[in-house]
Amino acid sequence: MSFVHLHTHSDYSLLDGYSSVHKLAATAKKHGQSALALTDHGNLHGLPEFYFACQKQGIKPILGTEAYMTNQMSVREKGRTHLLLLAENITGYQNLLKLSTASYRDGFYYKPRIDLDFLSQHSTGLISSTGCMASQVNRFIAANQLAEANKLVERYIDIFGRERFFLELQDHNIPELTSINKHLLEMNKRWQLRPVATNDVHYANPTDATPHDIMLCVQTGAFQNDPKRMKFSSDAFYLKTRQEMAMLWGREALDNTLVIAEMCNVTLPYKGYVLPKYQEGINSGELLATLCQVDNPIAQERIDYELSIINSMGFADYFLILYDFCKFATSKGIWWSVRGSAAGSMVAYTLGITSLNPLEHGLLFERFLNPNRVNMPDVDFDWPDDDRATMINYLAERWGQDNVAAICTFGRSGARGAIKDVCRVTQVPLNEAVTVSNMIPAIPGKPCTIEDALNPDHEFYSPELVSIYNEKPYLALATQLEGIVRSVGIHPAGVVITPTPVGDLLPLMTTTREAVLPNITQWDMAIIDKLGFLKVDFLGLRTLSVLRLACSMIRDAQYDLSNIPYSTDDELFEIYHNGQTDGVFQVEGVGMTRMLAKMKPTKFEHIIAAVALFRPGPMQYLDSYIDRMHGREPVSYHTPELESILANTYGICIYQEQIMQIAVAIANYTAGEADDIRKAVGKKLPDRIQYHRNKFIDNCIHGKELGEIIWNDIEKFARYGFNKSHAAIYAKLSCMTAYIKRHYPKEYMAALLSLETDPKKRSQYLMSTRRMGIGILRPDINRSGFHCTIEGNDIRLGLCVIKNIGHDISKRLIENRGDIPYTNITDWLDRIPPDVRRPACEALIGVGAFDSLGNRQQLTSYLSKMLGYSKSMRKSRAVGQLSLFSTPTNEWDNTPPHTVTDPVMLEKELEFAGIYISGHPTLQAKLSHRVSDIIDIEDQVGIKLCGLIVEIKQITTKKGELMAIGTLADDTGSCRLTIFPKQWAKNQYKVGDVLIADGQGQYYMEAPSFILHEAKRHRSKN
Ligand SMILES: [Zn+2]
Ligand SMILES: [Zn+2]
């Protein structure tokens, strides 16, 4: 006989349970237990993942939760208790979903809670018990309120039936619990409930007790050695064997776990795809075909082929749903771009979902969708930042508020976070924690574990970490905390759309933070996808906002995404040739800029290749590509088929689509099968790679020998190959931004300066605007709009660049001004809205918005008086004591206009606008170079320049000497600054110092760098 654990917490019991559902399922299997329940605290986050984990182990999943109970879920009171709930059948499962959703929606107060009345209405198919020590029954018993305990149990029996309500017995070496158990058994003479033994599992194995304990400290913010902190009573909260449980409980209580396991039978009710129907009563496939009629026979042939696959896979409604919201976006003038493989679909192009003709660019449908793939297609949409919410609201309106939900996402402990957590709990000094955790590389999209960093064969191997590993016991502990669920959030893009209320199909939660959609799923993207739900990814992309704003300023043409002539204009490429890539989509980085200047692209196709090649792996082919492009390296092909496929990229296989085309052309693959080569190589699946290798070589129409040569090439390229659909769409956006920047530089830079929120980048754009010969005018209370605007050959900064002035205040300042400029400060004070307070006024003065009306310094000194005047005027006016027409003249109206540029004023500009507007603290005489020149220098000594230290950090060299690295800037740009130990020992410069410096210019580690040899302070900060 065996045993089944019916009370189990995984790490989805946030920072309370330690083990993953996979580890729990595997451990139960190892103990020979035929089933396992999951009962996380107050949520159902882990259910599907647990279900699949159990299936994989060949054991039965029992789906449940340990709910939080309260007296009345609508009342916000603190006390709450626990209740174990297990789904016996599908009705019970559906009730679990309802209870859980309601616990968030209607019962949330610190925790998601339900009450007995609500439970009694949704109790069918559920099994429950007297619960753990924190249950209401046991709380009553512990408080010696035995009558209440009796009454409550009778209520439970009434709700669940005697067959489905059990006497739960736990033994955790707690005197209080022992006494509760004694009472329970005694009282059960009256109740006659079946006893069942559980272990309140919080981790899989005995050895997990320590990391679990550390995790508790993380949750409670306690130190490990604090004697008073919350701690579990023993280290026995693991998945025990039957033998171990038998030491605590008699046979009946053990056997009854098997009885319950036998009773519980739930198959997850998700089959096929869960898609709303575009329109009731119509044939979606036929409608789709009607919408996709075109004149061109070649295009129509491709469309018909795609439609046959789309219909056979049941995705007609999917395309119609996308078509529907794109049509809405068009009607509202909302711009968008689709990223990813969807650009390969001629149907999507014909429906207006995507904007590049796949036939013109060799984009393949099978890369997007083919019968060998089992998932729902995945299309990611980029919207202008400020239109994303409009689009999501449209989905809610079109498909019903109840039928759409945002998707949750789980934050898991990364290596760095785990090290910091353990260090905090074990009181390792913060600077050590930071130093050690920083030994783990943090590259976006490339997670690295502590184990990876210790592995000499891994790309992120860190000898530094190895050298300290043995002296730092917390590192071993940290590895055990990596990957555990630490927090729950909302996915930034995902939205699920369902045919019926989403809460009937999956559990929902709510958030206390501001969110576009009130419904949020309790399951994450991977599970939503796996269960066949329709989801769309709506991302915000600032480039679209910039492009739209720039186009709105253009006077001599009306551009939108459909007519910016990026494909017929040669001049736009000058932007790439001349390194003017600031603010140009996808190519802003210094490395990319230099590469493009070297490449000298002349065709759209070149930009696609640049986007695809400029990444860590394929970078190695870049030089070859450029040399071949300019005829400096010969191009040859193994076979004529390869020539027709690879000619566009000079014989270099850059795109996944090319690999697929080669397999089709010379090894008799279907395009769908060929897509699997990419996946096999990309995901490093040795069996699949071997399979394709054999198949490819055997089927090669040019014989096995050549087949092997070509396969070896393919396998190499497939490792790095890029999705051409994605690269082409990004290249298109890049060329569009380059076109507008080339032909409408003022409009483009004004839009960029308006919408960039990062001060560092904004100041970079400001400098590059000046380099382009465009003047920058300070914000002006009488001239500025919210965004930056164009005045003659200059850009007038908008109120949007000023700190302390939000969108609303700006709007009202501009509205109150109307067509009548403010004649003096008093006039302005009379007309300002009441919520314009001191910080806003300080900022307006500081950036020079009143320069035409007064002197910055004097106005600052009058500010308190000015605000006092404004306040008393408002009061007088409110009681009708003052006529609107009697504007007096005050002392602040007589200050002279501001003209002189001084350092204090520049610092104020930096403080309130994040940029120097009127000048730059660096001087411009007798220098050999400006900072922006460094970008063109490979390596050159004897450079003399003047620069402001924007950032500086002292570091220790391997020899233990002190040196510094930082950032140096003037009004033309910024570069990396290196000060070696000898120089640093002489002078420790600070942020804000302006230096006249001699040194060496160098292109080092992808960035222009200046190595300081000799310098004198031109100006010190303070
Ligand atoms: Zn409990
Ligand atoms: Zn529990």
Side-chain angles (χ1 to χ4, degrees):
M1 281 302 265
S2 185
F3 177 81
V4 171
H5 282 279
L6 298 169
H7 189 139
T8 314
H9 298 278
S10 73
D11 58 351
Y12 286 110
S13 288
L14 301 170
L15 293 179
D16 186 7
Y18 165 73
S19 300
S20 73
V21 293
H22 304 277
K23 192 165 161 193
L24 290 167
T27 309
K29 170 75 178 178
K30 196 178 77 193
H31 293 339
Q33 297 165 355
S34 61
L36 178 65
L38 184 71
T39 56
D40 278 315
H41 276 304
N43 70 63
L44 306 180
H45 289 312
L47 281 196
E49 203 181 332
F50 171 72
Y51 180 91
F52 296 123
C54 288
Q55 272 190 337
K56 197 174 150 204
Q57 297 293 341
I59 65 174
K60 182 199 269 189
I62 299 170
L63 307 180
T65 187
E66 190 174 15
Y68 291 110
M69 303 297 294
T70 180
N71 289 328
Q72 215 183 322
M73 56 201 281
S74 57
V75 176
R76 293 153 68 87
E77 60 182 3
K78 266 215 165 157
R80 56 173 181 262
T81 55
H82 295 179
L83 187 73
L84 192 78
L85 295 170
L86 302 171
E88 184 184 6
N89 50 34
I90 193 69
T91 313
Y93 172 74
Q94 270 145 2
N95 276 328
L96 269 190
L97 301 187
K98 283 201 187 91
L99 290 167
S100 186
T101 299
S103 72
Y104 279 95
R105 203 184 45 212
D106 308 320
F108 196 89
Y109 183 61
Y110 289 95
K111 300 276 182 192
R113 313 162 311 157
I114 50 173
D115 60 31
L116 215 50
D117 283 340
F118 189 75
L119 174 64
S120 67
Q121 292 156 30
H122 300 93
S123 58
T124 315
L126 290 176
I127 291 172
S128 187
S129 71
T130 52
C132 70
M133 226 172 93
S135 76
Q136 186 65 69
V137 174
N138 289 340
R139 287 266 172 88
F140 279 142
I141 291 176
N144 212 21
Q145 297 172 287
L146 300 184
E148 277 83 353
N150 267 319
K151 221 169 97 192
L152 183 60
V153 169
E154 269 154 32
R155 178 87 199 272
Y156 280 135
I157 294 173
D158 200 41
I159 292 172
F160 295 103
R162 198 172 296 279
E163 291 301 296
R164 289 178 191 78
F165 192 72
F166 288 79
L167 188 80
E168 184 168 352
L169 296 171
Q170 294 188 343
D171 187 334
H172 287 296
N173 202 17
I174 306 168
E176 211 182 347
L177 187 57
T178 315
S179 134
I180 289 173
N181 286 337
K182 222 188 270 167
H183 276 99
L184 273 176
L185 290 167
E186 179 62 33
M187 291 166 92
N188 198 35
K189 286 180 186 152
R190 171 167 161 194
W191 303 330
Q192 293 290 308
L193 296 172
R194 287 183 283 179
V196 59
T198 70
N199 198 46
D200 210 354
V201 174
H202 280 69
Y203 39 86
N205 301 305
T207 47
D208 297 330
T210 306
H212 174 261
D213 189 44
I214 297 282
M215 193 188 71
L216 280 187
C217 295
V218 171
Q219 185 212 21
T220 54
F223 295 129
Q224 190 186 22
N225 63 7
D226 178 355
K228 282 186 284 201
R229 73 178 167 90
M230 178 187 137
K231 205 173 175 177
F232 273 38
S233 58
S234 73
D235 47 13
F237 290 79
Y238 60 93
L239 278 173
K240 291 188 170 180
T241 61
R242 163 117 185 171
Q243 287 76 6
E244 286 169 307
M245 289 304 287
M247 295 198 272
L248 304 169
W249 300 108
R251 191 183 174 128
E252 192 193 0
L254 305 187
D255 288 353
N256 278 337
T257 63
L258 304 172
V259 170
I260 292 179
E262 204 58 41
M263 285 165 78
C264 291
N265 294 290
V266 175
T267 307
L268 282 188
Y270 311 102
K271 284 194 191 66
Y273 301 105
V274 193
L275 267 172
K277 202 160 159 37
Y278 174 70
Q279 197 183 325
E280 285 308 325
I282 60 147
N283 181 319
S284 303
E286 281 171 15
L287 175 62
L288 194 59
T290 318
L291 291 168
C292 292
Q293 294 293 327
V294 295
D295 281 341
N296 177 333
I298 296 168
Q300 190 65 53
E301 192 187 335
R302 164 82 171 253
I303 288 171
D304 292 344
Y305 161 73
E306 289 186 15
L307 285 175
S308 71
I309 293 177
I310 290 168
N311 284 324
S312 72
M313 293 176 81
F315 290 143
D317 282 304
Y318 178 87
F319 280 82
L320 290 170
I321 288 165
L322 266 46
Y323 162 73
D324 175 79
F325 64 70
C326 288
K327 212 168 58 175
F328 168 80
T330 308
S331 77
K332 294 285 172 205
I334 292 174
W335 295 16
W336 79 90
S337 173
V338 166
R339 60 171 77 167
S341 55
S345 165
M346 192 67 195
V347 167
Y349 174 67
T350 311
L351 291 172
I353 297 166
T354 57
S355 63
L356 267 183
N357 186 336
L359 289 173
E360 284 172 17
H361 298 284
L363 310 182
L364 302 185
F365 179 67
E366 291 82 358
R367 175 63 187 78
F368 171 54
L369 195 65
N370 72 67
N372 297 3
R373 278 218 224 179
V374 283
N375 288 1
M376 186 87 90
D378 189 11
V379 185
D380 298 344
F381 287 82
D382 287 321
W383 307 98
D385 290 324
D386 42 350
D387 284 326
R388 191 178 161 264
T390 312
M391 291 309 299
I392 292 176
N393 286 328
Y394 173 72
L395 293 182
E397 196 181 298
R398 171 69 175 82
W399 300 104
Q401 189 77 53
D402 292 341
N403 296 4
V404 296
I407 297 172
C408 89
T409 171
F410 300 111
R412 292 171 196 275
S413 243
R416 285 183 169 195
I419 294 173
K420 284 186 199 150
D421 275 346
V422 175
C423 284
R424 195 201 55 73
V425 168
T426 57
Q427 288 169 282
V428 174
L430 180 66
N431 57 357
E432 178 176 336
V434 171
T435 311
V436 173
S437 63
N438 284 351
M439 292 178 186
I440 311 277
I443 296 168
K446 288 206 163 187
C448 169
T449 64
I450 297 171
E451 204 172 307
D452 289 341
L454 295 173
N455 174 2
D457 295 330
H458 198 275
E459 59 174 317
F460 294 141
Y461 176 59
S462 162
E464 252 180 317
L465 194 73
V466 174
S467 70
I468 60 156
Y469 186 81
N470 288 331
E471 309 152 27
K472 310 285 180 192
Y474 56 79
L475 282 172
L477 209 46
T479 59
Q480 294 181 278
L481 289 189
E482 282 180 292
I484 61 163
V485 179
R486 215 178 175 294
S487 61
V488 184
I490 305 175
H491 190 275
V495 177
V496 58
I497 310 172
T498 50
T500 50
V502 63
D504 294 350
L505 300 165
L506 46 83
L508 299 175
M509 57 176 207
T510 49
T511 173
T512 44
R513 285 178 304 149
E514 204 178 311
V516 184
L517 290 173
N519 291 331
I520 303 150
T521 66
Q522 283 189 36
W523 298 340
D524 72 359
M525 201 69 121
I527 292 294
I528 296 286
D529 202 41
K530 183 163 179 158
L531 297 179
F533 285 96
L534 183 156
K535 63 160 180 67
V536 288
D537 282 349
F538 279 9
L539 299 107
L541 185 64
R542 180 165 311 145
T543 296
L544 290 173
S545 314
V546 169
L547 208 48
R548 187 182 54 185
L549 181 60
C551 288
S552 75
M553 288 188 244
I554 293 172
R555 293 280 158 257
D556 65 353
Q558 280 215 328
Y559 285 124
D560 59 39
L561 287 183
S562 69
N563 67 356
I564 297 174
Y566 72 95
S567 59
T568 51
D569 181 77
D570 291 333
E571 289 174 5
L572 71 88
F573 293 103
E574 291 168 15
I575 292 280
Y576 301 107
H577 298 180
N578 302 336
Q580 297 169 339
T581 49
D582 258 357
V584 177
F585 186 58
Q586 281 288 298
V587 297
E588 276 192 277
V590 175
M592 185 72 151
T593 301
R594 283 173 69 102
M595 186 276 279
L596 284 163
K598 195 162 127 194
M599 180 195 255
K600 300 252 177 285
T602 52
K603 288 194 291 196
F604 176 51
E605 194 70 37
H606 296 152
I607 305 295
I608 306 179
V611 169
L613 283 173
F614 198 77
R615 293 174 302 121
M619 193 92 88
Q620 54 183 308
Y621 306 112
L622 249 173
D623 284 338
S624 230
Y625 179 89
I626 295 175
D627 284 341
R628 289 176 183 203
M629 180 180 150
H630 292 286
R632 297 188 290 263
E633 185 179 300
V635 183
S636 65
Y637 302 94
H638 291 302
T639 78
E641 295 88 359
L642 291 185
E643 177 162 10
S644 68
I645 295 166
L646 299 177
N648 241 344
T649 50
Y650 312 103
I652 297 170
C653 188
I654 297 178
Y655 310 116
Q656 293 163 352
E657 284 85 344
Q658 290 173 317
I659 293 164
M660 292 164 67
Q661 285 168 322
I662 293 170
V664 170
I666 70 169
N668 288 319
Y669 271 69
T670 66
E673 291 166 341
D675 186 45
D676 192 54
I677 297 179
R678 161 188 73 81
K679 258 193 277 177
V681 178
K683 291 188 179 165
K684 303 193 176 92
L685 309 170
D687 295 353
R688 295 304 297 164
I689 296 173
Q690 192 56 42
Y691 164 84
H692 283 297
R693 181 188 174 85
N694 295 341
K695 176 170 170 167
F696 188 96
I697 295 170
D698 286 348
N699 289 344
C700 178
I701 56 173
H702 295 289
K704 293 192 179 186
E705 205 174 314
L706 200 50
E708 186 163 354
I709 294 171
I710 298 172
W711 170 264
N712 288 340
D713 281 350
I714 285 189
E715 199 185 315
K716 194 171 73 188
F717 285 116
R719 247 171 269 156
Y720 305 118
F722 201 62
N723 177 349
K724 188 178 183 188
S725 295
H726 184 72
I729 291 223
Y730 269 23
K732 177 180 167 180
L733 263 184
S734 180
C735 287
M736 284 182 165
T737 54
Y739 178 88
I740 299 293
K741 187 176 178 188
R742 170 66 183 78
H743 294 281
Y744 302 95
K746 279 177 296 196
E747 289 81 354
Y748 196 71
M749 296 317 286
L752 264 182
L753 286 166
S754 298
L755 297 176
E756 182 54 61
T757 48
D758 174 8
K760 223 170 142 185
K761 279 197 106 175
R762 192 194 280 159
S763 107
Q764 186 188 330
Y765 292 148
L766 190 89
M767 293 185 277
S768 61
T769 306
R770 286 214 178 98
R771 278 203 303 278
M772 290 157 74
I774 301 168
I776 299 284
L777 306 173
R778 61 184 159 69
D780 185 307
I781 195 69
N782 273 333
R783 290 172 165 270
S784 285
F786 177 66
H787 287 133
C788 302
T789 46
I790 294 163
E791 272 185 39
N793 275 325
D794 305 321
I795 291 175
R796 168 77 61 192
L797 292 175
L799 300 182
C800 62
V801 305
I802 309 173
K803 258 188 221 167
N804 308 337
I805 307 246
H807 185 262
D808 292 346
I809 291 188
S810 300
K811 215 178 114 194
R812 262 169 293 140
L813 285 175
I814 295 163
E815 272 170 16
N816 288 10
R817 180 178 77 205
D819 292 332
I820 311 159
Y822 301 108
T823 49
N824 56 25
I825 298 286
T826 301
D827 179 30
W828 184 75
L829 290 170
D830 282 339
R831 284 153 71 184
I832 54 170
D835 56 351
V836 176
R837 295 182 213 281
R838 179 180 283 272
C841 297
E842 273 172 350
L844 284 166
I845 297 171
V847 300
F850 292 118
D851 278 9
S852 56
L853 304 180
N855 174 282
R856 292 188 204 184
Q857 245 163 330
Q858 294 183 31
L859 288 182
T860 306
S861 66
Y862 285 132
L863 187 54
S864 296
K865 281 189 184 170
M866 285 160 54
L867 289 165
Y869 164 82
S870 164
K871 203 172 159 190
S872 65
M873 285 312 252
R874 255 198 313 276
K875 265 193 198 151
S876 315
R877 214 169 283 142
V879 294
Q881 284 178 346
L882 210 86
S883 132
L884 273 175
F885 304 100
S886 65
T887 297
T889 311
N890 291 300
E891 47 196 328
W892 47 76
D893 293 326
N894 298 326
T895 77
H898 197 101
T899 45
V900 204
T901 308
D902 62 62
V904 179
M905 157 184 161
L906 286 177
E907 291 312 315
K908 290 270 180 214
E909 289 178 0
L910 185 68
E911 181 184 347
F912 291 118
I915 44 182
Y916 293 113
I917 301 168
S918 314
H920 198 273
T922 60
L923 84 178
Q924 291 156 23
K926 286 189 206 153
L927 303 169
S928 70
H929 290 79
R930 315 296 305 281
V931 170
S932 63
D933 299 330
I934 308 258
I935 192 170
D936 299 319
I937 292 171
E938 272 315 322
D939 194 358
Q940 187 184 330
V941 290
I943 298 215
K944 186 172 180 122
L945 47 75
C946 180
L948 162 80
I949 296 187
V950 186
E951 284 171 327
I952 193 135
K953 196 172 92 182
Q954 179 172 285
I955 56 171
T956 313
T957 65
K958 286 207 174 92
K959 286 188 198 155
E961 294 171 305
L962 297 174
M963 60 173 283
I965 51 170
T967 306
L968 196 67
D970 65 9
D971 59 328
T972 66
S974 61
C975 70
R976 188 202 304 255
L977 170 68
T978 306
I979 306 177
F980 284 124
K982 221 168 104 193
Q983 295 301 326
W984 185 242
K986 278 194 232 161
N987 247 319
Q988 270 110 53
Y989 301 106
K990 293 191 179 62
V991 169
D993 286 349
V994 176
L995 309 180
I996 296 180
D998 278 304
Q1000 184 177 359
Q1002 210 178 45
Y1003 188 67
Y1004 172 70
M1005 280 174 60
E1006 305 275 302
S1009 302
F1010 180 76
I1011 300 164
L1012 184 140
H1013 290 165
E1014 203 65 69
K1016 68 170 198 275
R1017 277 197 184 88
H1018 176 60
R1019 179 166 77 78
S1020 300
K1021 174 88 177 176
N1022 302 328

